Amino acid sequence: QVQLVESGGGWVQAGGSLSLSCVASGDTFTIRAMGWYRQVPGKQRELVALITTSGTRTYGDSVKGRFTISRDGAKNTVHLQMNSLKSEDTAIYYCTADTVNEYNVQYDYWARGTQVSVSS
């Protein structure tokens, strides 16, 4: 199993910046990728950013050019730098880890979520 603990987030005015971090523990050797999704009440969860253990990054269209994801493999940590924030970035952000175990079974782990609020 993998445990995920997030930190960061909070409130900021539009145009400002915030950062998120997520630390993984447990069976971290099973992790293939980590990142964030976000969700607004009443809407589907959407991709924010993912990064694989080899460093390949994927961003949601709405955050490209504004958000940057990075990883510290030695610390099993990923960071999300969010710049030029907009009111529509307001959501609960969930850290996730994509894993595959020794039986080649894929499983996604999720953190509890952290609130990001951007005022216009």
Side-chain angles (χ1 to χ4, degrees):
Q1 290 191 344
V2 172
Q3 295 78 41
L4 301 172
V5 178
E6 300 167 311
S7 61
W11 176 88
V12 70
Q13 287 189 326
S17 299
L18 287 172
S19 63
L20 302 176
S21 294
C22 182
V23 180
S25 61
D27 295 333
T28 57
F29 62 91
T30 64
I31 295 174
R32 298 189 300 185
M34 289 180 65
W36 277 270
Y37 282 72
R38 67 187 182 188
Q39 190 169 23
V40 175
K43 294 188 177 181
Q44 284 190 328
R45 194 170 290 190
E46 68 168 345
L47 170 69
V48 177
L50 290 172
I51 185 167
T52 68
T53 53
S54 61
T56 300
R57 295 169 173 83
T58 303
Y59 294 97
D61 288 341
S62 61
V63 306
K64 286 179 181 177
R66 300 187 297 122
F67 291 12
T68 302
I69 190 169
S70 61
R71 63 184 293 268
D72 182 338
K75 297 181 179 179
N76 296 309
T77 300
V78 291
H79 304 282
L80 183 69
Q81 179 64 39
M82 304 181 289
N83 298 328
S84 301
L85 283 160
K86 306 174 181 180
S87 57
E88 50 263 45
D89 294 316
T90 296
I92 298 175
Y93 285 66
Y94 296 92
C95 177
T96 184
D98 169 27
T99 69
V100 175
N101 65 17
E102 61 269 38
Y103 305 107
N104 205 34
V105 175
Q106 189 275 339
Y107 190 81
D108 291 325
Y109 289 91
W110 296 91
R112 298 179 65 178
T114 187
Q115 179 71 46
V116 170
S117 299
V118 184
S119 64
S120 57

